[in-house]
Amino acid sequence: MIDMPEDTAPTTQQHLVIIGGGMVARRLVDALRARDGEGRWAVTLLAEEPRAPYDRVALTSYFTGREPEDLALGGQELWDDPLVTLRRGVRAEAIDRGARTVTTSTGQVLGYDALVLATGSYAAVPPVPGKDLRGAFVYRTIDDVADLRAFVEQRRGEVDRPVRGAVVGGGLLGLEAAGALRALDVDTTVVEFAPRLMPLQVDGGGGEALKRLIEGLGVSVRTSTATSKIVGERGAVSRMKFSEGPALDVDVVIFAVGVRPRDELARDAGLEVGERGGVVVDDACATADPAIWAIGEVACIGGRCLGLVAPGYTMAEIVADRLLGGSGTFPGADLSTKLKLLGVDVASFGDAFAQEPGALEVVISDPVAGVYKKLVMSDDARTLRGGILVGDASAYSSLRPRVGRELGGDPAAHLLPEGLAPAPAGDLPDEAAVCSCNNVTAGEIRRAVCEGGCTDLAGVKACTKAGTSCGSCLPLVKKLVTSELEAAGVEVSRALCEHIDLSRAELFDVVRVQGLTTFSEIIARHGRGRGCDICRPVIGSILASLGTGHILDGERATIQDTNDFVMANLQKDGSYSVVPRIPGGEVTPEGLIAIGEVARDFGLYTKITGGQRVDLFGARIDQLPQIWQRLVDAGFESGHAYGKSLRTVKSCVGSTWCRFGVQDSVGLAIDLELRYRGLRSPHKIKLGVSGCARECAEARGKDVGIIATDNGWNLYVGGNGGFTPRHAQLFAEDLDTDELVRTVDRFLMYYVRTADRLQRTAPWIEEHEGGIDAIHSVVLHDSLGIAEDLDAAMAAHVDGYRDEWAATLADPDKLARFAPFVNAPETVDDSLAYVGERGQARPATAQERASGSVLIAGTTLEVRA
Amino acid sequence: MTSTPTARPEAAAVRVCALTDLVPERGSVALVDGAQVAIVRTHDGQVYAIDNRDPYSGAQIIARGLVGTRGDVPTIVSPMYKQIWDLRTGACLDGAGSDPIALRTWPVRVVDGAVLVGGAAGAVDRG
Ligand SMILES: Cc1cc2nc3c(=O)[nH]c(=O)nc-3n(C[C@H](O)[C@H](O)[C@H](O)COP(=O)(O)OP(=O)(O)OC[C@H]3O[C@@H](n4cnc5c(N)ncnc54)[C@H](O)[C@@H]3O)c2cc1C
Ligand code: SF4
């Protein structure tokens, strides 16, 4: 029997079967579902791997603490689409072109109207003796890297020396694999047959610079070396022998010598394959069989298979177009690459090897700094043809789109370090491809701004997909967006508001350096007017971050949002909620009882927060001092739930009680919460501490997440819940507690000083020039020379901390501001009304108020003295 | 300073507080004929009275908003959903995504250091 999709749709509906669940297959489904509004095609995707298509390009990040789910490509809603059927763990075994069916590994026979082969490649394994021993791996799938990791961890337990590993192949993939081994703390050697590393992308000079940089990172490199044999011991690899030179003792070997197209299904079905494999297709990605197409790495297009994802995406778009009656053709591939291998930038683009006749080369080589840059120009030195950048590839995003165009000026100027050279974007022609991963042109980005109404980088990324894969083009995208907005007359100054022309970071600096302490002074010197709801709280926050005294002192009281002004959280009916601090979520029974009594006596609705503390709702403004007097007497202090400041440090129970814990997560959480309490910041900050890798505190959802290891603490930064959830990224490993605290101090202080208003850590990191790597350099390697200053600022914060609520209760002037009416201080505000629900008070709805029914006294209850 | 009482008797002004009771650029609330009125003293010494009820949330909170300027216009911002009003006229300058709704204002005078609210044409009730 032949299965057709069960959702019986209009008889005109056709069935598309895609074999292979890789990146390119996913792109095809995405593109088809985006364009096929009428539902002309139902799609079945056969994926041999046990998971939905994932980001293979980012495979190595699996070793920097990411989960398999982090490699997910785009939204998973695609797989819920009724017209899309994803069959995970199902392999296609045979194609019957006559009957137009595919037989699967589960014995099913699927009929198709169109069939797309997107089977990708095998990792090639050279025919060396010993290649099948345990400990020999390839590097292609999540399962490969998971097995590799498990093997290395196991081996580490067996030997009392560092684990030793070798990578066969010094190309792009080999260096990725070497990076993975380094991340696993393996002593690593890269063995390359060619005389230099990355022989396909870089020339001799670039290879030499690369080698030096990589050796500097502790990876040994052997070039011009052929592996002749792998010797085993008890079934596992133990030693490598070479055609020349001494043997190498190893525990693990990774083959990264290239890929081989998975074209066996096509061969068996009698379709033509290329000389070096790959399903032969024309420039429409069609095979000789009108119902069968091939895309991605398995396709042999223009006589060759292309091992990069960008041309695969282009092919996917073409087939989606063709299936809907379009006539798109393959424009030729851009084989430019920019990579960060082991932290070393490498990029090559265009005619990198100066193969076209009459090419001129401009080379800047600085072996000491480990930089090699070459531009290939036309014979009149005007038109850019290609280039190679090793060690510093910051010019890549602006140079690559200019290939085939006049560069203008002295070519060498384009090779100067970022900041010294102009990197104009305005003159880029519309058809220049800016994002090669997703094939987005300068024109599309400009249109997204001027016609699509996008007003910032995030909007343009969402609407064009530019910069959403490898991200190397983001600096250029940002420049294009900015110049387009400017051209459209949209002010893209970083001005805070109509009153202050400076950005928040700039304002922070001038206030700090000039020692300004009042709003009036600041606005007089650096702004105009009397401020607004944007600049007033920003200045309030900056002054508070700089430790200039109580937030309600003098004029400062007038620049706080209502939440900060009354030190409570405004609720929808005009009442407030109150949250006492419970550091690390640890609370004594007496403390809990005290909070409970306050809630009961004031009739407050009580709820446990996500930050492991208790929120009390429905307090009138004039009740806040009484409530806080009780809480302060019971030993509590402000929880700053109302502030743009540290909220909580959430913790799991940790090694004190937990069977699995390896460190005292509660103790650390309490110390950190007491250290950073009251720290005012551009937005709220949340921390989390877990006592072991099981991560019960969900620390990676926090701005700063800390996870205990056997040797100390791993630090993650930039996690976020909320509207755009993000997992925090690994920032430093196995820190001892002092190192950890110093690192967090600097990270937070640097964020406080330089982020935009209301910018959480995740977008701050993303928009920071140079991203997380640059922040890493500032915080851990003091690349800006400000570490001491950051440390001192945090020390001043810690020393200067005082509980805002206790200080307010001791100051009659401040207390006077909580009076409800200036002409009737004793009168109770009767505008608040509550009804009972599940045994507690909640605000009455408009209808309930109107009917006057079921109102309960709630917070207007007379307070027990 | 003296004034000529010409207004209707029910529109008599109410003394709500001394000028010095008002913190510049931070609103207070006064009860005027049973209504909650936000009283705002700006940086230049002017005093304004505007409805304390936020028409968007129904809550009595306008006085708790931030005071500032937009161009030359003295403004107050709702602390709930951030609409902006002209303190002088009650005109809504920014509906923050909703249709603008104006706020009622009351005339204010400062006499002998006392803040008087209401009394459209300046009637004074020293009560
Ligand atoms: C570590 C690493 C780093 C890389 N870095 C980069 C980079 O920086 N830039 C870049 O452009 N490219 C990079 N690449 C290459 C890039 O990942 C590939 O070009 C891209 O994934 C090709 O996509 P594809 O869909 O054609 O094939 P694949 O992603 O290989 O997907 C093919 C899928 O089909 C499945 N399949 C095969 N046969 C069958 C069958 N008979 N039935 C069912 N399923 C089947 C396979 O299991 C596989 O999941 C990298 C690759 C690796 C491994
Ligand atoms: S994270 Fe580890 S230590 Fe903490 S509760 Fe979970 S299992 Fe226990």
Side-chain angles (χ1 to χ4, degrees), chain A residues 334 336-338 347-349 389 393-401 436 472-473:
Chain A
D334 177 359
S336 303
T337 29
K338 177 183 171 200
S348 89
F349 53 96
L389 306 168
S394 52
Y396 174 77
S397 76
S398 62
L399 285 174
R400 192 193 44 76
S436 57
S472 70
C473 62

Side-chain angles (χ1 to χ4, degrees), chain A residues 264-275:
Chain A
E264 63 276 8
L265 283 173
R267 277 177 205 271
D268 293 348
L271 289 168
E272 186 189 352
V273 293
E275 208 174 298

Side-chain angles (χ1 to χ4, degrees), chain A residues 651-665 689-698 707-708:
Chain A
S651 68
C652 74
V653 75
S655 59
T656 325
W657 289 89
C658 176
R659 285 177 294 152
F660 305 110
V662 295
Q663 306 279 355
D664 175 13
S665 48
V689 185
S690 278
C692 80
R694 288 172 182 76
E695 241 286 68
C696 298
E698 297 169 332
I707 302 178

